[in-house]
Amino acid sequence: MEKLQYCEILGTKINVTNMEQTLGFLKSHLEELRGNYICVSNVHTTVMAYEDEHYRRIQNSGAMALPDGAPLSVYSKKHGFANAGRVTGPDLMVELLKVSKEEGYRHFFYGATKETLEAMKRAIERDYPDAPIAGMYAPPFRPLRPEEDDAAVSLINQAKPDFIWVGLGAPKQEQWMYEHRGRLSGVCIGVGAGFDYLAGDIKRAPKIMQKLCMEWLYRLLQDPKRLWKRYVTTNLKFIKYIWKEQG
């Protein structure tokens, strides 16, 4: 497999890429990627990785750590990677759904709730009718017993997916992908709230806010009670740690 370019940000190796390059890489190396996983990284996960060595190892052990958060691609550009772009989890999922018929891709969705999965299934069948849904599974909101986990792995592998979309939220989804590396027939991609976006439970920020690195603010305004501490505290920590690293 070709060596991927990356920019190290607070100890996490964030790939220098864009959507077109990422889609091309996945197409060219799909067979080699089976059983591996891809992290979709942002400021929140990067700060968590900086503070937690084990989580940093998880972020750096996958096939890729994509720059989901705009500040990560901005940082990369300012540090000599002029072609650094942004690849968000929800956008990557949509782009792969679009080309599924042409490329023969099959998709499995692991995470969220049954209600969200059902809403997402309806949206995919409406907007991307030619994208094969290999299967869906909403795990209980507790650690699975070994026999339950084995059954879930069997369910996924019997469905023969190419892409296994994992929507458990960070850091749980990355931990799950790391623990299941080598056991699954497809490549896992952690997409956080990607299921909620596709299902219509959460609205994406306008493009202008995404370009201005303000998507976090849009999310915060939608759910301030749950997200204020995560976004405000994490963003301040990110600035502090970057300043400290650059001395």
Side-chain angles (χ1 to χ4, degrees):
M1 192 182 302
E2 66 187 89
K3 189 174 182 180
L4 297 169
Q5 192 176 39
Y6 67 84
C7 177
E8 187 169 313
I9 305 177
L10 297 180
T12 298
K13 299 175 181 178
I14 303 296
N15 287 110
V16 177
T17 185
N18 56 36
M19 183 63 73
E20 183 180 0
Q21 291 171 345
T22 300
L23 291 172
F25 180 82
L26 293 176
K27 178 180 178 179
S28 300
H29 300 283
L30 180 57
E31 295 307 313
E32 300 161 80
L33 289 167
R34 292 185 186 279
N36 208 332
Y37 65 94
I38 294 171
C39 296
V40 178
S41 305
N42 53 33
V43 166
H44 181 225
T45 62
T46 303
V47 167
M48 282 196 295
Y50 183 78
E51 296 177 336
D52 185 327
E53 183 179 355
H54 177 63
Y55 187 61
R56 183 164 65 250
R57 185 182 306 115
I58 291 174
Q59 284 279 326
N60 288 334
S61 295
M64 302 179 80
L66 296 172
D68 177 279
L72 303 185
S73 57
V74 169
Y75 180 97
S76 296
K77 285 182 179 179
K78 290 183 176 180
H79 288 76
F81 300 96
N83 61 332
R86 186 185 181 199
V87 184
T88 76
D91 289 341
L92 179 60
M93 188 160 57
V94 165
E95 291 302 318
L96 286 170
L97 288 170
K98 286 180 182 177
V99 299
S100 290
K101 181 181 180 181
E102 175 186 345
E103 303 296 345
Y105 296 151
R106 291 170 56 79
H107 304 268
F108 195 101
F109 300 88
Y110 182 96
T113 64
K114 289 182 179 179
E115 293 75 20
T116 295
L117 291 181
E118 289 171 0
M120 183 171 63
K121 183 179 180 181
R122 291 193 296 269
I124 293 173
E125 291 174 342
R126 180 191 67 231
D127 299 332
Y128 315 101
D130 296 321
I133 298 175
M136 294 180 158
Y137 180 67
F141 288 92
R142 58 168 174 76
L144 270 64
R145 296 188 295 272
E147 61 272 20
E148 291 177 316
D149 187 63
D150 289 342
V153 169
S154 179
L155 177 69
I156 295 170
N157 288 337
Q158 287 176 12
K160 298 180 180 179
D162 298 296
F163 296 100
I164 303 161
W165 301 97
V166 185
L168 299 175
K172 187 176 179 180
Q173 65 193 14
E174 289 80 24
Q175 181 72 45
W176 186 90
M177 295 191 297
Y178 181 76
E179 291 174 351
H180 289 79
R181 64 197 188 284
R183 296 181 62 193
L184 300 168
S185 58
V187 54
C188 291
I189 306 178
V191 290
F195 291 7
D196 298 297
Y197 286 130
L198 205 52
D201 295 338
I202 301 176
K203 292 183 178 180
R204 286 293 299 278
K207 293 292 184 182
I208 185 63
M209 292 189 75
Q210 295 181 38
K211 290 181 180 179
L212 293 173
C213 304
M214 299 297 287
E215 191 166 11
W216 68 272
L217 179 58
Y218 190 84
R219 285 285 313 277
L220 177 61
L221 293 174
Q222 286 182 304
D223 193 356
K225 187 175 181 180
R226 185 174 70 88
L227 296 176
W228 78 268
K229 186 174 181 180
R230 167 181 164 179
Y231 282 125
V232 175
T233 303
T234 302
N235 286 356
L236 290 174
K237 281 185 175 182
F238 182 75
I239 294 170
K240 173 187 173 182
Y241 292 151
I242 290 293
W243 180 81
K244 180 181 177 182
E245 286 272 302
Q246 296 179 346

